[in-house]
Amino acid sequence: MTLPILILAAGAASRMAPRDKLLEPINGTPLLTRITEISCKVSDFTLVALPPDRPARQAAIEHTTARLLTVSNAAEGMNATLRAGLAALPKAPAFMLLLADLPDLTEEDLRAVLQSHQAHPEALIWRGATSDGKPGHPVIFSSQLYENIQQLQGDDGAKSIVAAAQGRVHLTPLPGQRARLDLDTPEAWASWRKATNTPR
C-alpha cells in the first residue's frame, strides 16, 4: 500500500484577490489540478481538502481520481483543515502532507520523499528540503504523531510538532527551491513565469 496524501487547498489566498492562486494556469493547467494529478500518480489515495465556498477549485480536480473533502470550518485556519483531513484518511503507518501552492514540485520530488520514508524508518517526520538544506515540503508524518496533530489549533500548520520531533526529522534535498517556492501575489507569478519561461 502506498501512503495516503493529504493536499491542503482550503486557504483563502487573499493576497491574490480577485484571482485564485490555486487556479493560476501553468501551461494551460490550473496549479491545483497539476499538483493533484502528480499526487494521484504516486499514491492510491489522494485527498484534497477544500473550503465550502470555492466551487472552481472543486471543478479543477473533478476529473482526477482524488477524493474531495469539504472543510466547513476552514476559515478557522490551516490546522482545522489538517485535523479534518487526517480524520478522513485511511489507516496507514504514515501520511504525506502536501501544500497545493508549490508550482515547481514534481512527481519525482514526491517519490524521493516517499523513498526516504522507507529508507529511514527511525525518523518520525520525513520532509523535502531545498538544495541548500532548508526544510520545506512535502512532509510525511508517522502515525505515532496523529494524536498530537489532532490537538493542533490555529494557523501555523504542524510547526510545533516538527519542532518537538527534532532529531527524528529526515530531510531529503530536492533540486533548487522546489520544496519552498510558493507564489502568493500576481507580481510573484509574473516574475516566476518570466524566469522559468512558463506560459499561462
Side-chain angles (χ1 to χ4, degrees):
M1 176 183 177
T2 59
L3 296 184
I5 297 178
L6 171 61
I7 299 177
L8 299 186
S14 57
R15 294 174 65 189
M16 282 289 291
R19 290 152 56 181
D20 185 340
K21 70 175 179 179
L22 298 189
L23 301 179
E24 281 292 301
I26 298 175
N27 290 312
T29 299
L31 174 58
L32 179 57
T33 304
R34 178 185 177 278
I35 201 70
T36 301
E37 290 176 341
I38 289 173
S39 299
C40 290
K41 290 180 179 179
V42 302
S43 175
D44 297 330
F45 191 101
T46 293
L47 181 68
V48 183
L50 297 175
D53 59 347
R54 297 293 182 104
R57 292 186 187 178
Q58 179 175 345
I61 64 169
E62 284 181 342
H63 71 284
T64 73
T65 58
R67 281 79 166 178
L68 166 67
L69 174 67
T70 300
V71 183
S72 59
N73 61 338
E76 292 182 15
M78 183 185 298
N79 287 337
T81 302
L82 181 53
R83 295 194 311 269
L86 178 56
L89 291 178
K91 290 184 178 180
F95 82 99
M96 174 179 280
L97 178 66
L98 187 57
L99 301 183
D101 61 353
L102 301 172
D104 284 340
L105 277 183
T106 67
E107 176 185 343
E108 291 73 21
D109 295 335
L110 270 60
R111 292 190 186 279
V113 179
L114 287 167
Q115 289 169 0
S116 74
H117 167 259
Q118 297 176 339
H120 299 275
E122 73 283 356
L124 288 174
I125 297 174
W126 304 258
R127 63 187 307 185
T130 62
S131 59
D132 56 353
K134 295 179 181 177
H137 285 81
V139 184
I140 295 176
F141 292 95
S142 165
S143 60
Q144 297 179 52
L145 301 174
Y146 287 7
E147 185 175 348
N148 294 337
I149 293 174
Q150 288 292 4
Q151 304 303 315
L152 290 172
Q153 302 291 326
D155 198 40
D156 63 349
K159 291 180 180 178
S160 61
I161 292 177
V162 174
Q166 288 303 322
R168 299 188 69 182
V169 178
H170 181 80
L171 298 182
T172 301
L174 305 176
Q177 300 296 308
R178 291 179 185 177
R180 291 171 65 95
L181 179 69
D182 60 357
L183 304 171
D184 291 329
T185 66
E187 294 78 13
W189 274 96
S191 296
W192 176 80
R193 287 194 170 100
K194 183 177 180 180
T196 59
N197 196 28
T198 302
R200 294 178 60 86

